[in-house]
Amino acid sequence: MNYISQDAFAALWLRRAINCERMRMSCGLTYRSMKSRWITKLSRPCSHGPMGLFVPPSPPLDPKKVKELQRFITLSKKLLVMTGAGISTESGIPDYRSEKVGLYARTDRRPIQHVDFVRSAPIRQRYWARNFVGWPQFSAHQPNPAHWALSNWEKRGKLHWLVTQNVDALHTKAGNQRLTELHGCMHRVLCLNCGEQTPRGLLQERFQDLNPSWSAEAQGVAPDGDVFLSEEQVQTFQVPSCVRCGGPLKPDVVFFGDTVNPDKVDFVHRRVREADSLLVVGSSLQVYSGYRFILTAREKKLPIAILNIGPTRSDDLACLKLNSRCGELLPLIVPH
């Protein structure tokens, strides 16, 4: 059967927006608008490539483990894959929990909470100022070999469904269509009052128009397009409102402390129940919104394989655990 979820419709629209953004977004350390009205600078470089700064150390590939994963995939006829931040660190996007290199290991900063964003205009101002500076680099990140491998699996008919906990749109950029973005996507913005949805790239232009002389120097980068700015830099930043109703704007993502839409959760549960195996790629499964689908797979007695550098919440439920880079291992697997 063919399933067309809300995410699938959004992905079609998103691909067009991404193609437009690629033509006009700079991914260097200094951003200067076409009208030369504002400049943002990152105080230190961040890798965009597969050998990025945010991938934790891992042992060399074990040929025996590669063969075991190949056998797992070969035997799977309706494979469901769930990905997490660990698949995108090789594209240069930092995560929260990786040992020594994740945000929690590098700083004492913590991600924004949903209730704080909704209740506080100053917190929304700080969030959007930081996101405005980080957006050109974040939106320019590209899929790595692991993303392309999963896209190839789908084209070859091996992938029944792909569920990602990431909000970076890299699976969409790689061409996946049988996809659910569990936590939403940073490339979309919605109004908290009327629900109007717009491309994030258009909001960047509105930021530029409202802040023609504003500049900022970031002190570091965080996951999901965030950067570190001082309070002084944030205070003069102007934030636009919804063009339709004047309400506050929020990225179309699930912030910490919020919940995933129940209809989306039910949809993924149905895909898990249809599957005959489950592969986790780049996730520690510490967040319950993803972990619950592992519990559903266990109830259905599905074989579970986990590819993640470091321990996960579900290692004891897996028949196969691999501690390797996603981009090194997945391209070696033949989807037949």
Side-chain angles (χ1 to χ4, degrees), residues 60-121:
L61 282 178
D62 181 347
K64 180 180 178 182
K65 289 288 188 178
V66 175
K67 290 181 179 180
E68 289 179 3
L69 181 59
Q70 178 66 72
R71 183 173 185 274
F72 180 91
I73 299 301
T74 300
L75 292 176
S76 302
K77 303 306 178 186
K78 300 189 73 173
L79 174 68
L80 186 138
V81 176
M82 183 163 64
T83 66
I87 194 175
S88 293
T89 55
E90 295 176 52
S91 289
I93 300 177
D95 67 357
Y96 291 104
R97 295 181 176 83
S98 286
E99 185 177 355
K100 298 181 180 180
V101 295
L103 178 72
Y104 296 162
R106 292 184 288 116
T107 76
D108 59 358
R109 299 174 186 258
R110 292 298 180 263
I112 191 169
Q113 297 292 311
H114 174 79
V115 64
D116 296 332
F117 185 94
V118 171
R119 291 179 178 176
S120 171

Side-chain angles (χ1 to χ4, degrees), residues 19-250:
N19 289 334
C20 293
E21 284 184 13
R22 284 176 181 166
M23 300 300 295
R24 62 184 181 82
M25 284 294 185
S26 164
C27 49
L29 299 181
T30 301
Y31 187 104
R32 184 184 301 271
S33 74
M34 295 297 291
K35 299 178 182 179
S36 298
R37 294 188 302 172
W38 57 270
I39 301 172
T40 58
K41 298 180 180 179
L42 291 178
S43 61
R44 60 182 181 180
C46 298
S47 171
H48 290 245
M51 303 303 290
L53 301 174
F54 307 114
V55 183
S58 62
L61 282 178
D62 181 347
K64 180 180 178 182
K65 289 288 188 178
V66 175
K67 290 181 179 180
E68 289 179 3
L69 181 59
Q70 178 66 72
R71 183 173 185 274
F72 180 91
I73 299 301
T74 300
L75 292 176
S76 302
K77 303 306 178 186
K78 300 189 73 173
L79 174 68
L80 186 138
V81 176
M82 183 163 64
T83 66
I87 194 175
S88 293
T89 55
E90 295 176 52
S91 289
I93 300 177
D95 67 357
Y96 291 104
R97 295 181 176 83
S98 286
E99 185 177 355
K100 298 181 180 180
V101 295
L103 178 72
Y104 296 162
R106 292 184 288 116
T107 76
D108 59 358
R109 299 174 186 258
R110 292 298 180 263
I112 191 169
Q113 297 292 311
H114 174 79
V115 64
D116 296 332
F117 185 94
V118 171
R119 291 179 178 176
S120 171
I123 287 180
R124 290 196 295 273
Q125 178 191 42
R126 182 179 65 190
Y127 173 86
W128 280 121
R130 290 161 54 151
N131 187 265
F132 169 70
V133 175
W135 178 252
Q137 179 170 325
F138 180 77
S139 61
H141 285 296
Q142 296 300 312
N144 63 59
H147 295 99
W148 292 115
L150 293 178
S151 178
N152 182 49
W153 291 11
E154 179 178 318
K155 293 174 182 176
R156 299 281 293 274
K158 174 56 67 174
L159 186 64
H160 176 60
W161 206 260
L162 173 61
V163 180
T164 185
Q165 300 170 87
N166 300 335
V167 297
D168 51 34
L170 293 187
H171 286 301
T172 298
K173 289 182 178 182
N176 281 106
Q177 297 184 33
R178 300 179 67 82
L179 169 69
T180 295
E181 295 171 319
L182 190 63
H183 297 151
C185 181
M186 288 293 298
H187 288 255
R188 301 187 296 267
V189 177
L190 57 81
C191 173
L192 288 174
N193 285 356
C194 70
E196 178 79 358
Q197 191 177 92
T198 57
R200 174 61 181 81
L202 294 182
L203 183 61
Q204 191 77 357
E205 296 176 354
R206 297 184 64 199
F207 282 136
Q208 296 175 34
D209 292 338
L210 284 177
N211 299 275
S213 59
W214 185 85
S215 64
E217 184 175 346
Q219 305 304 312
V221 297
D224 302 335
D226 192 14
V227 299
F228 303 142
L229 300 178
S230 68
E231 291 300 321
E232 291 75 19
Q233 291 173 314
V234 168
Q235 287 174 358
T236 59
F237 188 75
Q238 301 297 309
V239 179
S241 300
C242 174
V243 295
R244 180 179 179 183
C245 74
L249 300 176
K250 173 185 174 294

